[in-house]
Amino acid sequence: MKTFLLNLLILFLSVHLFADPVKKSDELCSCLKDAKESKNEKSKKKCLQLREKHVKALKKNSPEYNEYIERLNVCERQLMGAGDIDANLSTEKKIEAVCNCFQNKAQQKMMCFKLQSDYAKTIANDEERASFNVASGSCDK
């Protein structure tokens, strides 16, 4: 019985210590910032390896993994200068925000595509999301 409880305690601690999405996302975000500043290929490769390690530890599609991805999205938007998204905007306002990005930041199209993707994820209704993707996709012309 003592062995069982000890194993259970070790398992519980290892899951919480090694699968902490906040700590892991902060670690990768820091790595990405350093890689962006250094513009060194080794730094970028280090970040990719770190992400692979995190994905294995967090187990894809788990609540911890989803939290990790959400936090990384915020980090990536900050690194690109895109800022936060407002999930409560109407679909029309989301389309307008994406179109404004494509018109005003033509040199930073990746940031606009990221904004478009992030807003699409905030739309639960499949038909509405498809309509958003078509309308906001036509802005990039």
Side-chain angles (χ1 to χ4, degrees):
M1 185 67 171
K2 285 182 182 180
T3 306
F4 174 74
L5 290 175
L6 183 61
N7 285 337
L8 189 60
L9 179 64
I10 291 170
L11 178 65
F12 177 77
L13 289 174
S14 65
V15 166
H16 286 287
L17 290 176
F18 299 116
D20 181 4
V22 173
K23 185 176 179 183
K24 290 188 182 326
S25 61
D26 289 348
E27 182 182 15
L28 184 56
C29 188
S30 178
C31 182
L32 292 170
K33 286 176 185 174
D34 293 344
K36 182 180 179 184
E37 289 174 12
S38 73
K39 297 179 183 172
N40 183 333
E41 288 302 315
K42 277 187 176 181
S43 298
K44 292 177 186 178
K45 189 172 182 177
K46 177 185 166 194
C47 296
L48 286 173
Q49 291 170 338
L50 187 59
R51 183 177 175 124
E52 287 176 16
K53 180 180 152 189
H54 289 167
V55 169
K56 280 183 185 177
L58 294 170
K59 305 211 179 3
K60 239 181 180 176
N61 298 320
S62 69
E64 292 83 8
Y65 174 81
N66 293 336
E67 181 180 353
Y68 172 77
I69 294 298
E70 285 177 31
R71 290 180 59 85
L72 282 181
N73 282 334
V74 170
C75 174
E76 289 171 350
R77 280 195 303 276
Q78 289 172 345
L79 288 173
M80 293 187 325
D84 293 331
I85 62 165
D86 183 357
N88 296 319
L89 289 177
S90 67
T91 302
E92 292 76 21
K93 291 290 185 185
K94 292 175 185 177
I95 293 168
E96 185 180 323
V98 172
C99 289
N100 285 341
C101 183
F102 280 119
Q103 291 169 358
N104 298 326
K105 299 183 182 192
Q107 298 83 5
Q108 299 176 351
K109 282 192 174 205
M110 289 309 295
M111 179 177 66
C112 300
F113 285 122
K114 176 81 173 129
L115 183 67
Q116 181 183 32
S117 172
D118 289 344
Y119 270 132
K121 291 174 188 173
T122 67
I123 302 171
N125 181 291
D126 290 339
E127 288 180 24
E128 189 178 345
R129 186 179 331 103
S131 175
F132 166 81
N133 285 332
V134 169
S136 63
S138 66
C139 300
D140 179 36
K141 302 286 187 250

